[in-house]
Amino acid sequence: MTRFFLENIVQQKYLTEMQHVGGDLSSLSSAVGSFTGNWQAWTVHYIGFAVCFALGLVLFAVMLLTCLIFPCCRCCGRCGAPNPSRQRGVAKGCKIGCSLVLGVVVVGLIFGTVGMFVTNEALKDQLAGDLFEKVGRALDGVQSYVERTFEEIVRVVYDQFRVTMNGVLALIGDVQGGAMKAIDDSTGVVTTLNQLDNFSSQLEALQVHLMRSESMAADLDAQAKQLGIDLSAIASNVTSALSGCYSAECNLTSVEVRGAKVAVDFGAVNVSTAIAAVNLSLAVGLRGMVNISLQQIRNIERSINATISPNIDDVLTAARRVESQLSDLADRLTSTLNGIEFDSIQKTINDFQDEDTYKMAVDITYGVFLGFSCMVSLVIFLDLLGLLMGWILPPDRHTDSAGCGCTKAVGYHLLMTGTAVTLIFYWLFSLLVAILFVFGGLVQTELCRNIVKFDKPDSAAVLSIYDDWTSGLFSSGLKIRPFQTYSDCHLDKSFYEAFAVASVFNVSEIADKSSGIKESVESFKGQTFDPPLVNLSDPDFIHVLRVLEEDLKLNFTHFYANVNESLTDPYLPSLAAKLDSLKDVNLTGYATDLRTLDRSKVVPMSSARDQLLDSLQAAESVVRLVSSGSAADVLVQSEIVINANGSRIVSHFVNDTADAIYRAVDQYLNVTTAALEGDVGKCRPLYRSVKGVFDGFCTQFLYSLNGYWYCLGWNLFFLIPNLCASVKLASAFRIGTSVNTVKHQDHQE
């Protein structure tokens, strides 16, 4: 109700309307100065407050005069004083009417007085500590938020830059190797020469493996032939011995013995041409030819390194310079944070709250307001008691059956006492209401109304004016507009936007500082390369590779298939066991011969065969290191490509690397800018902290203050008819008593 009265009756206009009538509100000093230079417009703007305050002053003066005149009126026989000429009977209807009016008025006063007691207690709670506690919690929340947000900003700006620069340095550090990889990707020459280098370094080992394989294969082939002869002799003897046996078992054994043979062919292992090719490679110095070609490739690598090293140093220097500048920015942000002295503010508030003078002022205010509430309560009590006594007591002592001696005059005196108390304090009540109305009403309509409705256009415009007045009060360097920040934090905007961090740290500074890296990369990108010419297709070199390709076509699969089997078919110990098992013919001697042959020749040959397989596998691992014919083709083509397009290949790779650095820097800038402007330090928690202070001041403190004067003003309204009804009813009670007294005297006479 108080808000409705203030905002819709007393002051509907907003401060912004003063700008349309010549009021200069650009700064607080200008606004104060315009009061004297344009007072007529300000008077019209605050006409509601002016009229109400004037009415309060008029009421104050009138009631002060009434307080002085009323005793004189009583002396003249008026205003409830005894008047013999008016000792007439008073109509009972008048008493009833005045009593009803007084009862209704007292009910209204009760409502107002209860409100005064309640709002006074609420005011005491707020002033004694609740309001300061909310401010303290809000400061703690603001400090925690700001510190956490500044740490996030430093992490996003500085730490993320270091991560980006590590990636950039990795790209730059790999330029030399990357350029050679680009050449290799285009020609395959680096990979091929490395394969040839590995192959040529094992030529001597290959020679040993091949020669050993050839020697072992020849020996094993001779042994295999002798084994076949010995096996045939034993088989012939067994067949003769079985010629007289016609059982099925003898027939099967005879067939198996006649089919016994050597199952491997060591003669299939033929590596003589390969040995000749390897000998040729060693003789002409294949390893040296490969090294010469590799040296030419290394010369290209050194040429690239010599060309781009200065540019790489420039990029590294620029990166370190930017890192140092961003570190300075981080220090600047930290110093800005230190400029906001939260601890000092908190200490000042605590000291003010603990001041004895402040505590005494709070106690005095509470006592005065409580006293005024008690005075109104006293009036209510006197009115109710006087009304009750005036109706229930007898008109004179002679009709008092109880014999207490009390008459309606008691009600008269109680009502007149309430009237006296009202007259004594009414003018003070009026003055207090006028003062509190102006203070609380102006704060409500010009400040708290706009804070509560900050999202409304009219209120936002007024708060913008207050922002202009207060923006210079902050010594931290931040151009903070507190109410705009409050509104932005309600929308959960970022710290950068809500606190106008651009005034001490503009996001564009990061791009400006990072431009040094781009400039260095640009010179690096525009570098021209002139790699030395190469001669990779030396005729002798290519000839040797062609010979190796032709003569090293060894079919190792064929070799393994012919030698990696059981030496005999069938297995001799198994065949001997079958001979021993025959019952019709005694062939144990021949069985012993087979076992002897297996132990003396087959087992040693098996061991030698395993060594032969090892040598062949070792030779195969070297042979398969490189395809000599393909290597020759690659070298011939690589010489053409490198000599014709080597510079373009390297330049293209360097340009791609520079573009990758550009992208990394741009990504850093984009991510950092987006994070600062939209993500870092979302300030909805800050809004909630500050809203607690605004709610404490505007909703709990100011509403209580305005509620107190409103309730007191409500009582002032009802005290006027209370005065009239009390005096009229007191006169009625007095007159009735006097008339009854006269009648009683006449009766006695």
Side-chain angles (χ1 to χ4, degrees):
M1 188 180 293
T2 308
R3 286 179 55 196
F4 178 82
F5 173 71
L6 288 171
E7 297 176 9
N8 295 280
I9 297 176
V10 176
Q11 185 68 12
Q12 290 185 348
K13 298 179 181 180
Y14 287 85
L15 189 61
T16 49
E17 296 187 16
M18 284 301 300
Q19 295 175 324
H20 305 307
V21 293
D24 184 5
L25 305 179
S26 59
S27 64
L28 182 59
S29 59
S30 300
V32 173
S34 68
F35 273 106
T36 56
N38 197 16
W39 63 270
Q40 300 93 336
W42 284 102
T43 302
V44 172
H45 179 72
Y46 289 114
I47 189 65
F49 283 102
V51 170
C52 292
F53 184 70
L55 288 176
L57 292 181
V58 169
L59 190 62
F60 163 76
V62 169
M63 295 309 296
L64 184 59
L65 289 175
T66 302
C67 181
L68 298 175
I69 293 172
F70 190 79
C72 299
C73 180
R74 293 270 296 166
C75 292
C76 296
R78 302 285 182 179
C79 305
N83 189 346
S85 64
R86 300 181 66 240
Q87 304 298 314
R88 302 288 188 271
V90 179
K92 189 174 184 179
C94 179
K95 294 181 181 180
I96 294 174
C98 290
S99 297
L100 291 176
V101 170
L102 186 61
V104 172
V105 169
V106 168
V107 171
L109 289 173
I110 290 174
F111 280 112
T113 305
V114 170
M116 290 175 65
F117 278 112
V118 172
T119 53
N120 188 37
E121 291 298 324
L123 275 174
K124 180 185 178 183
D125 291 340
Q126 292 300 314
L127 293 175
D130 287 357
L131 186 60
F132 292 97
E133 182 179 350
K134 291 182 176 67
V135 173
R137 285 200 303 265
L139 280 175
D140 291 339
V142 171
Q143 182 176 9
S144 175
Y145 165 79
V146 171
E147 290 176 351
R148 184 176 66 253
T149 301
F150 270 64
E151 290 176 0
E152 290 183 21
I153 292 177
V154 171
R155 176 181 55 78
V156 169
V157 174
Y158 181 67
D159 295 347
Q160 189 60 38
F161 175 80
R162 296 187 65 181
V163 173
T164 301
M165 282 303 100
N166 287 337
V168 170
L169 295 178
L171 289 172
I172 293 175
D174 192 47
V175 168
Q176 181 177 332
M180 297 309 300
K181 185 177 183 301
I183 292 176
D184 189 43
D185 291 341
S186 299
T187 62
V189 65
V190 177
T191 300
T192 298
L193 285 175
N194 286 333
Q195 292 174 349
L196 285 173
D197 183 52
N198 191 14
F199 172 75
S200 62
S201 66
Q202 300 185 54
L203 274 177
E204 293 181 353
L206 176 61
Q207 182 187 45
V208 171
H209 293 316
L210 290 176
M211 293 179 67
R212 183 182 178 189
S213 298
E214 182 181 45
S215 174
M216 292 177 67
D219 291 342
L220 286 171
D221 186 55
Q223 293 177 36
K225 290 177 180 179
Q226 184 59 47
L227 176 63
I229 294 172
D230 294 340
L231 185 57
S232 296
I234 295 173
S236 178
N237 293 332
V238 172
T239 301
S240 298
L242 291 173
S243 60
C245 181
Y246 301 103
S247 65
E249 188 178 6
C250 289
N251 291 335
L252 290 174
T253 303
S254 177
V255 172
E256 189 173 359
V257 169
R258 286 197 302 270
K261 62 180 180 178
V262 176
V264 294
D265 182 12
F266 293 104
V269 179
N270 184 6
V271 295
S272 58
T273 56
I275 293 174
V278 171
N279 291 337
L280 174 63
S281 300
L282 292 171
V284 299
L286 178 63
R287 181 72 188 279
M289 296 176 180
V290 172
N291 286 335
I292 291 173
S293 298
L294 280 172
Q295 187 62 40
Q296 295 181 67
I297 298 301
R298 294 191 185 100
N299 290 339
I300 295 176
E301 188 174 1
R302 282 192 289 269
S303 174
I304 294 172
N305 185 46
T307 303
I308 65 175
S309 289
N311 302 104
I312 291 176
D313 292 340
D314 291 342
V315 174
L316 294 177
T317 301
R320 295 189 185 98
R321 183 168 58 251
V322 173
E323 182 177 358
S324 175
Q325 292 170 341
L326 291 179
S327 178
D328 293 340
L329 282 177
D331 293 340
R332 205 162 79 208
L333 286 174
T334 303
S335 64
T336 300
L337 170 63
N338 294 333
I340 306 176
E341 299 178 354
F342 292 101
D343 294 338
S344 176
I345 297 173
Q346 183 69 67
K347 184 177 183 303
T348 301
I349 293 174
N350 292 336
D351 292 344
F352 179 76
Q353 182 183 4
D354 295 336
E355 282 286 342
D356 293 336
T357 304
Y358 173 76
K359 292 180 179 179
M360 182 177 65
V362 171
D363 292 338
I364 290 174
T365 301
Y366 174 75
V368 170
F369 284 8
L370 180 63
F372 285 168
S373 303
C374 291
M375 288 301 101
V376 179
S377 301
L378 178 61
V379 171
I380 294 172
F381 173 76
L382 292 173
D383 287 347
L384 288 175
L385 190 59
L387 184 63
L388 180 64
M389 294 296 102
W391 277 104
I392 66 174
L393 292 178
D396 55 55
R397 296 175 183 174
H398 301 283
T399 58
D400 184 8
S401 60
C404 66
C406 297
T407 66
K408 292 182 182 293
V410 174
Y412 161 79
H413 289 299
L414 289 173
L415 291 175
M416 294 307 297
T417 302
T419 301
V421 173
T422 302
L423 290 174
I424 291 172
F425 286 97
Y426 196 99
W427 62 277
L428 288 175
F429 293 163
S430 301
L431 184 61
L432 180 63
V433 168
I435 294 173
L436 293 181
F437 163 75
V438 172
F439 172 76
L442 284 175
V443 174
Q444 171 63 35
T445 57
E446 298 302 337
L447 180 63
C448 286
R449 170 175 63 170
N450 299 308
I451 291 176
V452 172
K453 301 178 180 179
F454 67 91
D455 54 341
K456 305 297 182 183
D458 291 335
S459 295
V462 174
L463 294 178
S464 178
I465 294 174
Y466 296 157
D467 280 334
D468 294 337
W469 294 357
T470 59
S471 59
L473 300 179
F474 299 94
S475 60
S476 64
L478 294 174
K479 295 181 180 179
I480 300 176
R481 296 174 63 85
F483 296 109
Q484 182 61 49
T485 299
Y486 180 72
S487 178
D488 290 341
C489 288
H490 170 68
L491 300 176
D492 204 19
K493 292 186 177 180
S494 67
F495 176 84
Y496 182 86
E497 183 176 1
F499 278 79
V501 180
S503 60
V504 297
F505 171 61
N506 198 307
V507 173
S508 61
E509 290 186 51
I510 302 176
D512 294 340
K513 297 182 185 306
S514 300
S515 62
I517 299 176
K518 288 189 172 183
E519 291 174 1
S520 300
V521 173
E522 187 65 32
S523 62
F524 165 68
K525 183 176 181 180
Q527 186 66 53
T528 59
F529 296 90
D530 187 19
L533 299 178
V534 295
N535 179 17
L536 304 176
S537 59
D538 180 76
D540 293 337
F541 189 14
I542 301 301
H543 172 70
V544 172
L545 293 177
R546 298 296 185 192
V547 170
L548 287 173
E549 175 68 16
E550 185 66 28
D551 294 344
L552 282 181
K553 290 181 179 178
L554 300 176
N555 192 345
F556 288 97
T557 303
H558 177 68
F559 295 164
Y560 300 147
N562 281 279
V563 301
N564 196 18
E565 299 290 343
S566 177
L567 291 180
T568 61
D569 183 24
Y571 182 51
L572 295 186
S574 298
L575 183 58
K578 289 182 179 181
L579 294 181
D580 285 335
S581 65
L582 283 176
K583 299 177 181 178
D584 298 332
V585 181
N586 184 5
L587 300 177
T588 56
Y590 298 119
T592 301
D593 292 341
L594 288 174
R595 291 189 178 94
T596 301
L597 183 63
D598 183 70
R599 285 194 303 271
S600 62
K601 292 187 177 181
V602 175
V603 172
M605 286 179 64
S606 295
S607 178
R609 189 266 310 275
D610 292 339
Q611 295 177 12
L612 172 62
L613 288 173
D614 291 341
S615 294
L616 289 173
Q617 290 170 353
E620 182 184 15
S621 65
V622 177
V623 170
R624 296 193 183 282
L625 289 174
V626 67
S627 173
S628 302
S630 298
D633 294 337
V634 168
L635 293 176
V636 172
Q637 292 299 320
S638 298
E639 178 180 333
I640 298 172
V641 172
I642 292 174
N643 290 337
N645 299 313
S647 177
R648 182 187 61 80
I649 293 172
V650 175
S651 297
H652 181 72
F653 168 76
V654 170
N655 291 341
D656 287 345
T657 302
D659 291 338
I661 295 174
Y662 276 143
R663 287 192 296 271
V665 174
D666 287 338
Q667 182 181 13
Y668 162 75
L669 294 175
N670 294 334
V671 170
T672 301
T673 301
L676 288 177
E677 294 182 345
D679 296 328
V680 173
K682 292 287 190 178
C683 60
R684 178 63 65 81
L686 182 63
Y687 163 78
R688 288 193 289 266
S689 297
V690 178
K691 186 177 185 296
V693 177
F694 286 155
D695 288 346
F697 178 77
C698 292
T699 303
Q700 295 170 343
F701 168 73
L702 190 62
Y703 283 8
S704 299
L705 180 65
N706 287 336
Y708 185 85
W709 67 253
Y710 186 85
C711 291
L712 184 56
W714 171 283
N715 287 339
L716 289 179
F717 172 79
F718 282 100
L719 282 174
I720 292 176
N722 178 74
L723 283 173
C724 298
S726 295
V727 172
K728 184 66 176 177
L729 192 59
S731 298
F733 290 153
R734 178 76 179 185
I735 291 172
T737 302
S738 301
V739 170
N740 281 290
T741 301
V742 172
K743 287 182 178 181
H744 180 70
Q745 291 174 352
D746 292 343
H747 178 72
Q748 286 181 339
E749 291 174 357

